[in-house]
Amino acid sequence: MAFLAALEEDTGTPIGRYFDLIAGTSTGGVIALGLGLGYSAREMLNFYLQLGPKIFASNGWIKFLKHLGWSKYSPKPLEAALRGTFGTKTLGESKTRLVIPSVNLENGEVYIYKTSHHPRLATDWRKSVIEVAMATAAAPSYFPTHRAEMGTPLIDGGIWANNPVGLAVVEGIGVLGWERSDLRVLSLGCTHSPLNIQKARDKSCGRLYWALKLTDLFMSSQSSGACGTASILCPDPENQLFRYNPPAPEDRFSLDGIKELESLRGLGHSEARKAKPRLHPVFFTAPAEAFSPIHTGNIPTYQ
């Protein structure tokens, strides 16, 4: 978030207005919703700095023991933070096309919230931003499954799209019909560390070992696959796909770590400082064309 806030300093306007489509998963989904609704990157950064400690308040060993059998955190502080920021806004109020992934636990299928940027997308625009945010952020073991208004059990979209860059590029080409050569994609990660599965490379391992390592493995491989998909679909990936995911020491930053928020902000700012000369002429010379949703309360037209 600090990366975007630093880039935004040179634009004079909320950074979301410079993009035709924003995709985000989990905490990235919350950021995408905020940017789509017109909040500045600075405002969203302050959301995390001010409310993050309340959302991920720790009770030490009691919380650790609870984590073994139940979700580590109550969803109520997160919902309260989201409601205090977004109020009663709906996905249909987004000023930018959005793609926010989740997973339907009823049938194991992907469940993607989208703005009404295609005639077929006639439902999600009515959904509460709170519902969308709670669904994509319901990380297994950290937060309980989120029940949507209509009863669908949903969890974190990071289960299958922790890096949504491939999903975004497919949406642009396959749904919106954009020319592949016209795409310019900015992809941001949450830092990465070298994958540490040395023992598994040397010999077979049992359930206990993989229980501790499997999440890191599928997140790393899924992200690699998503970047590969985007690279193949962009004819000139060197000049079309801009990926920033700085390295960090293993276990330095965690999903719910709040003690290193200032360090993360500093890292994001320094990375943006280096990236500005390359990114500004590609993305920030002029705002994107205004997004006009297809469905806004009128009778939908299907094609």
Side-chain angles (χ1 to χ4, degrees), residues 65-133:
L65 292 173
K66 178 183 176 183
H67 195 193
L68 296 178
W70 296 274
S71 299
K72 190 174 182 180
Y73 299 101
S74 165
K76 292 181 180 179
L78 173 59
E79 183 175 358
L82 293 168
R83 199 168 298 282
T85 300
F86 299 135
T88 59
K89 289 182 171 63
T90 63
L91 194 60
E93 296 178 59
S94 178
K95 300 174 176 61
T96 305
R97 299 170 186 85
L98 296 178
V99 174
I100 313 292
S102 184
V103 177
N104 183 347
L105 283 188
E106 199 69 64
N107 53 21
E109 295 179 354
V110 301
Y111 195 101
I112 311 174
Y113 287 97
K114 300 181 183 182
T115 48
S116 184
H117 50 254
H118 187 278
R120 295 198 307 270
L121 305 176
T123 301
D124 291 349
W125 65 272
R126 300 183 177 92
K127 301 302 181 182
S128 162
V129 167
I130 308 302
E131 174 181 310
V132 181

Side-chain angles (χ1 to χ4, degrees), residues 20 99 154 262:
D20 296 293
V99 174
L154 301 171
E262 285 299 322

Side-chain angles (χ1 to χ4, degrees), residues 36-235:
L37 290 169
Y39 290 81
S40 68
R42 173 63 60 179
E43 289 174 310
M44 293 307 298
L45 175 61
N46 288 336
F47 170 88
Y48 283 94
L49 293 175
Q50 295 171 9
L51 300 175
K54 297 179 181 179
I55 296 170
F56 297 112
S58 175
N59 290 327
W61 281 104
I62 294 176
K63 184 146 290 183
F64 172 77
L65 292 173
K66 178 183 176 183
H67 195 193
L68 296 178
W70 296 274
S71 299
K72 190 174 182 180
Y73 299 101
S74 165
K76 292 181 180 179
L78 173 59
E79 183 175 358
L82 293 168
R83 199 168 298 282
T85 300
F86 299 135
T88 59
K89 289 182 171 63
T90 63
L91 194 60
E93 296 178 59
S94 178
K95 300 174 176 61
T96 305
R97 299 170 186 85
L98 296 178
V99 174
I100 313 292
S102 184
V103 177
N104 183 347
L105 283 188
E106 199 69 64
N107 53 21
E109 295 179 354
V110 301
Y111 195 101
I112 311 174
Y113 287 97
K114 300 181 183 182
T115 48
S116 184
H117 50 254
H118 187 278
R120 295 198 307 270
L121 305 176
T123 301
D124 291 349
W125 65 272
R126 300 183 177 92
K127 301 302 181 182
S128 162
V129 167
I130 308 302
E131 174 181 310
V132 181
M134 292 295 292
T136 194
S141 82
Y142 287 90
F143 291 108
T145 300
H146 178 72
R147 284 278 179 180
E149 181 183 6
M150 300 307 293
T152 309
L154 301 171
I155 61 171
D156 192 339
I159 293 297
W160 68 280
N162 68 293
N163 179 355
V165 65
L167 175 65
V169 172
V170 169
E171 187 77 11
I173 297 171
V175 177
L176 292 163
W178 293 342
E179 291 293 330
R180 294 167 57 196
S181 59
D182 290 339
L183 296 180
R184 299 295 182 273
V185 184
L186 176 59
S187 173
L188 304 180
C190 300
T191 75
H192 74 279
S193 303
L195 186 63
N196 182 14
I197 53 171
Q198 179 65 43
K199 184 178 178 181
R201 291 198 299 267
D202 294 340
K203 57 185 177 181
S204 63
C205 297
R207 292 184 179 183
L208 179 59
Y209 180 86
W210 281 114
L212 299 174
K213 296 293 184 179
L214 199 56
T215 297
D216 290 341
L217 179 59
F218 86 69
M219 290 184 71
S220 176
S221 57
Q222 190 280 322
S223 181
S224 175
C227 287
T229 297
S231 296
I232 290 173
L233 293 176
C234 291

